Amino acid sequence: MDKNFQNKSNISEIFPIVNIYKKAYTIELHSHAVYELLYIRKGTVSFQIEGKKNKIIAGSVIFIIPSEEHKLVSMTNKEFEYCSFVFDKTIFGNEDNPCRVFFESILINRFLDFPEWLINKFYQLCSEHEIGTPGYEVMQYAFLFQVFSHVVSTKQYQLVTIIRTQTKHNISAVQVVIDYIQKNYMENLNFDELLELTNYSKSHFCKIFKDTTGMNLTEYINKYRIERACLELQFTKKNITEIAMQTGFNNIQYFSRIFKVFMNCTPKQYQLKMKRMKK
């Protein structure tokens, strides 16, 4: 391997796709508000997700959905090597785009079976980004569409079936509010305005939202904003005050307090931890 390619995390400043290459002994427990496609290139690791542990060997490809807490630890006392694509569903277009509609209607398998050519393409893109190949962003998008074309054609997914005691109308109302929050989390979200999207009473909507998400509305908004702030802290050079304002927190002290509730550390501590992980 090219020495200049070793021990680096290659971050594209162009979100919604971030491409990472790294060697590590441990990737600490974390979650994010976006999807991740993870390829273990070398080594054997213990992969922990949502409290469950799996032994993962080189060549494995893992699909991680938003908000899933996950951790990787070497099982051989040697560094493992991985490549990762972190991406937002907006790569598939707006909510009416058929590609995005289908993507949101399926549950992709946790562990994916890739042909050798697709595995090689995964690693190659890390190298292309390292050398600054013109048009790299186009290749990123093309690769992810190749990935999901392969997933669909080989049926490595399940259609999402929501089993709830609520009616479909109730579930739809909650989803409408969630979609609105995710589009407008950086703005001042007014509870009454959110409620107008549902045509429900305050008490009834609060109940079905809690039953569906496991959180009240304020908790969900704060959690989503903190997840977006974590992406900014990890993948951009913005300062903490700027990130707080851009993720809907008008008060830096309140932002720091809520951040610590969800992440068990301050924004600065998280930012420093992410920088150490990239070295």
Side-chain angles (χ1 to χ4, degrees):
M1 185 189 302
D2 187 336
K3 290 182 180 179
N4 292 326
F5 184 52
Q6 294 181 359
N7 300 315
K8 291 185 180 180
S9 174
N10 299 315
I11 307 298
S12 169
E13 293 292 344
I14 301 176
F15 212 69
I17 305 176
V18 175
N19 181 207
I20 303 168
Y21 162 76
K22 188 170 175 19
K23 286 186 175 183
Y25 289 99
T26 301
I27 302 299
E28 296 183 29
L29 190 68
H30 68 287
S31 66
H32 29 67
V34 289
Y35 297 87
E36 182 172 9
L37 191 65
L38 179 67
Y39 163 47
I40 305 299
R41 187 168 185 267
K42 289 184 179 180
T44 302
V45 301
S46 171
F47 172 65
Q48 177 182 325
I49 188 160
E50 296 296 291
K52 297 180 180 179
K53 292 183 179 181
N54 300 272
K55 179 181 177 180
I56 306 297
I57 62 173
S60 299
V61 179
I62 306 164
F63 185 69
I64 302 166
I65 66 175
S67 300
E68 288 190 313
E69 290 194 329
H70 52 285
K71 177 180 181 179
L72 293 96
V73 180
S74 172
M75 298 182 69
T76 61
N77 293 321
K78 296 180 180 179
E79 288 183 316
F80 59 90
E81 181 181 328
Y82 77 93
C83 301
S84 175
F85 275 85
V86 179
F87 65 94
D88 189 76
K89 62 186 177 182
T90 55
I91 65 166
F92 296 105
N94 62 35
E95 53 270 29
D96 296 324
N97 187 296
C99 295
R100 179 161 163 184
V101 170
F102 185 75
F103 177 77
E104 293 181 328
S105 73
I106 62 175
L107 182 63
I108 294 173
N109 293 356
R110 169 77 67 213
F111 302 103
L112 296 172
D113 182 20
F114 277 17
E116 186 176 355
W117 69 268
L118 198 54
I119 287 285
N120 290 340
K121 188 69 175 177
F122 206 139
Y123 179 67
Q124 178 190 344
L125 278 172
C126 292
S127 180
E128 296 286 357
H129 182 252
E130 170 66 13
I131 63 179
T133 301
Y136 172 76
E137 291 75 20
V138 175
M139 291 188 284
Q140 278 187 316
Y141 276 87
F143 172 72
L144 285 177
F145 272 85
Q146 283 181 317
V147 164
F148 294 110
S149 176
H150 174 71
V151 166
V152 171
S153 65
T154 55
K155 294 182 170 56
Q156 296 186 66
Y157 68 89
Q158 295 177 326
L159 289 172
V160 175
T161 301
I162 303 177
I163 303 174
R164 301 281 187 187
T165 58
Q166 298 96 337
T167 64
K168 289 183 179 179
H169 182 66
N170 286 350
I171 295 169
S172 176
V174 171
Q175 191 58 56
V176 166
V177 170
I178 286 175
D179 287 345
Y180 186 86
I181 291 168
Q182 292 184 357
K183 289 177 187 175
N184 300 280
Y185 66 92
M186 68 294 294
E187 306 295 337
N188 181 26
L189 296 173
N190 182 284
F191 185 88
D192 290 334
E193 290 178 0
L194 294 175
L195 200 59
E196 287 179 5
L197 300 171
T198 72
N199 295 317
Y200 281 143
S201 69
K202 180 177 180 179
S203 59
H204 183 57
F205 181 72
C206 287
K207 182 180 185 305
I208 64 172
F209 191 90
K210 181 70 177 286
D211 289 345
T212 303
T213 66
M215 292 175 276
N216 65 41
L217 198 55
T218 299
E219 287 172 333
Y220 182 86
I221 292 170
N222 282 337
K223 183 175 186 293
Y224 189 77
R225 283 172 167 168
I226 293 302
E227 287 176 342
R228 301 302 304 194
C230 286
L231 291 172
E232 296 288 339
L233 287 166
Q234 185 173 358
F235 297 126
T236 75
K237 297 179 181 178
K238 297 173 185 175
N239 63 52
I240 291 172
T241 299
E242 185 179 4
I243 290 170
M245 298 302 173
Q246 289 186 357
T247 51
F249 293 96
N250 295 324
N251 183 295
I252 187 66
Q253 287 77 24
Y254 181 67
F255 169 65
S256 296
R257 180 159 61 85
I258 296 300
F259 192 96
K260 195 166 186 178
V261 168
F262 286 101
M263 303 306 297
N264 296 314
C265 64
T266 67
K268 188 63 178 178
Q269 288 169 337
Y270 181 86
Q271 192 175 51
L272 292 173
K273 180 172 70 173
M274 290 302 104
K275 286 181 178 179
R276 288 195 299 270
M277 287 172 62
K278 293 175 190 175
K279 291 180 180 179

